[in-house]
Amino acid sequence: MKRRDFIKLAGVSAALFPVAPSVFGQEVIPPRRHTYRLTYKIDLPATGKKARLWLPLPDTNDTPHQFSQGSVWSGNADIARFDNVPGTTSPMFYGEWRGSGPRTVSVSSVVKTSDRFVDLSRYSERGTIPSDAKHFLQPTKHIPVDGIVRKTALSIVKEANAQSPLQKAQAVYNWVVDNSYRDPAARGCGRGDIKSMLESGNLGGKSADLNALFVGLTRAAGVPARDHYGIRIDESAAHKSLGQSDDVSTAQHCRAEFYLAGLGWVPVDPADVRQLALDENLPITHPRVADLREKLFGSWEMNWVAFNHGRDITLARDSVLGELSFFMYPQAEVSGHQQDSLEPAEFTYKIVSLQLVGTGIKF
């Protein structure tokens, strides 16, 4: 592969990954630490005179559970650059073709992950919430914090007699798990329009719906919360339906976090609780579902990588794409027409995940 525009996005060493008990598989084992290469393979239609492409990339705001080692691209784009998603510090790739003919590009990123666990027993309500976390109390177009969202949130915390931020987030999490359901008919990962969900009383959807419901209700209860848009990149250690490897073109998945003073961001994923219940045809009270429900309030199995947590994204003001609720899928326009990001074969793109073994990394 011809090497171009290598971006060294170094931050922390893999040695900084914490040694914490895994909450997946057996109880007291070191967390899984793996290195992956995530590759987009794009072959846009050779029609018209101009084509444009935008790809979300693994987040480079390095953390102990996700560390990016950079990205490279190859192909025949007339313009190609690594950039940030507008309004965020999260990375993306932009490509442009200005003539007819073949339009191909391959973009590869290397990322390290480590299973994530936050010890909630250490929470003491002391400390302050930093301004960058307070930002995630604000509403967005599809995640308002007033009206029916606030009314529902206040009812939830009152019913649970929740007083502290941790108790409020726990009450909202339980309510979402108990009252929502995974709707396999929803396209992609859903729309994340929680106002419409609450007004209609239809709380079915996929990860971008159910986790947005958690985020909006938690914000309305006064606790900072945010979505994380990303993709599954490996099999799950415990639940087959919650993992994917090799061809991950349709493995996009949204997760959520809330913020606690003194502990920082806490991972949750009520949507995956509902997915397990649906995929294995189990009641929400089944021991397997109940066990996962407990684990996914405070931990993530990192067979998944985060791209960004932006909402209401405009990738380019002169694009036919318009405003996106979120940026989790490849986006492209060919001769002024938007490609269907939810149909990889028609778009056309393929996303491949490969686990890297050993210390030598080759692009």
Side-chain angles (χ1 to χ4, degrees):
M1 177 182 290
K2 187 175 180 180
R3 181 167 176 158
R4 299 181 181 179
D5 292 11
F6 178 73
I7 299 181
K8 184 63 177 176
L9 299 170
V12 297
S13 165
L16 295 182
F17 286 155
V19 178
S22 174
V23 291
F24 296 92
Q26 297 182 25
E27 285 301 319
V28 185
I29 58 174
R32 295 196 306 171
R33 299 170 184 155
H34 294 311
T35 302
Y36 301 93
R37 181 190 293 119
L38 184 69
T39 302
Y40 290 95
K41 300 177 181 180
I42 312 293
D43 186 8
L44 293 177
T47 59
K49 295 184 178 180
K50 185 176 181 179
R52 305 170 77 185
L53 170 72
W54 296 263
L55 302 175
L57 299 177
D59 199 347
T60 52
N61 293 308
D62 296 318
T63 66
H65 59 274
Q66 180 172 319
F67 167 53
S68 172
Q69 291 195 296
S71 299
V72 295
W73 77 276
S74 66
N76 62 2
D78 295 306
I79 297 175
R81 63 176 180 264
F82 293 98
D83 207 341
N84 288 338
V85 178
T88 79
T89 59
S90 299
M92 72 174 187
F93 172 83
Y94 174 74
E96 184 176 315
W97 292 260
R98 294 181 170 178
S100 58
R103 295 160 174 160
T104 62
V105 72
S106 176
V107 180
S108 291
S109 303
V110 172
V111 60
K112 291 177 178 289
T113 69
S114 178
D115 288 345
R116 185 178 179 192
F117 171 76
V118 174
D119 185 358
L120 295 174
S121 69
R122 295 173 49 233
Y123 178 59
S124 65
E125 295 189 58
R126 297 177 182 176
T128 59
I129 298 176
S131 59
D132 60 342
K134 288 182 179 178
H135 168 75
F136 294 100
L137 285 168
Q138 300 302 313
T140 68
K141 183 175 181 180
H142 293 106
I143 304 182
V145 295
D146 59 359
I148 191 170
V149 180
R150 178 168 172 78
K151 180 180 178 181
T152 305
L154 294 180
S155 175
I156 292 169
V157 298
K158 181 179 180 180
E159 178 69 21
N161 192 29
Q163 305 296 321
S164 71
L166 175 57
Q167 290 171 341
K168 291 177 180 179
Q170 179 81 71
V172 171
Y173 176 85
N174 287 335
W175 186 89
V176 172
V177 171
D178 288 335
N179 291 278
S180 69
Y181 64 95
R182 181 173 171 81
D183 182 1
R187 292 198 74 211
C189 289
R191 297 171 54 209
D193 186 351
I194 68 169
K195 182 173 182 287
S196 296
M197 293 172 69
L198 291 170
E199 287 178 342
S200 67
N202 180 4
L203 301 184
K206 289 188 178 173
S207 63
D209 299 311
L210 306 193
N211 284 329
L213 195 59
F214 170 84
V215 167
L217 292 170
T218 302
R219 287 182 184 180
V223 181
R226 64 187 184 186
D227 293 296
H228 269 291
Y229 302 99
I231 191 167
R232 303 190 201 272
I233 55 171
D234 201 354
E235 303 298 332
S236 168
H239 305 286
K240 182 176 176 57
S241 64
L242 304 184
Q244 198 161 326
S245 61
D246 299 325
D247 185 347
V248 296
S249 303
T250 59
Q252 291 81 5
H253 181 65
C254 171
R255 285 177 161 176
E257 293 177 311
F258 67 96
Y259 193 90
L260 291 179
L263 282 184
W265 289 106
V266 178
V268 297
D269 195 345
D272 262 358
V273 180
R274 275 296 174 178
Q275 178 164 336
L276 180 68
L278 174 68
D279 291 345
E280 298 192 7
N281 193 26
L282 300 173
I284 202 67
T285 55
H286 189 279
R288 275 177 60 80
V289 181
D291 182 56
L292 185 65
R293 174 182 185 149
E294 180 180 354
K295 290 173 180 176
L296 286 179
F297 188 80
S299 68
W300 284 344
E301 181 184 8
M302 287 301 293
N303 60 333
W304 167 93
V305 296
F307 293 147
N308 60 75
H309 46 72
R311 292 286 304 206
D312 307 330
I313 300 294
T314 299
L315 294 173
R317 297 194 179 278
D318 59 344
S319 168
V320 297
L321 300 180
E323 185 180 79
L324 306 175
S325 293
F326 46 82
F327 182 33
M328 182 164 47
Y329 293 84
Q331 300 290 334
E333 58 180 55
V334 177
S335 195
H337 297 282
Q338 183 176 0
Q339 300 293 105
D340 188 346
S341 63
L342 303 183
E343 295 293 340
E346 296 177 14
F347 188 104
T348 54
Y349 67 82
K350 185 176 182 179
I351 310 174
V352 177
S353 173
L354 174 67
Q355 183 178 339
L356 302 178
V357 180
T359 57
I361 297 176
K362 297 180 180 180
F363 288 93

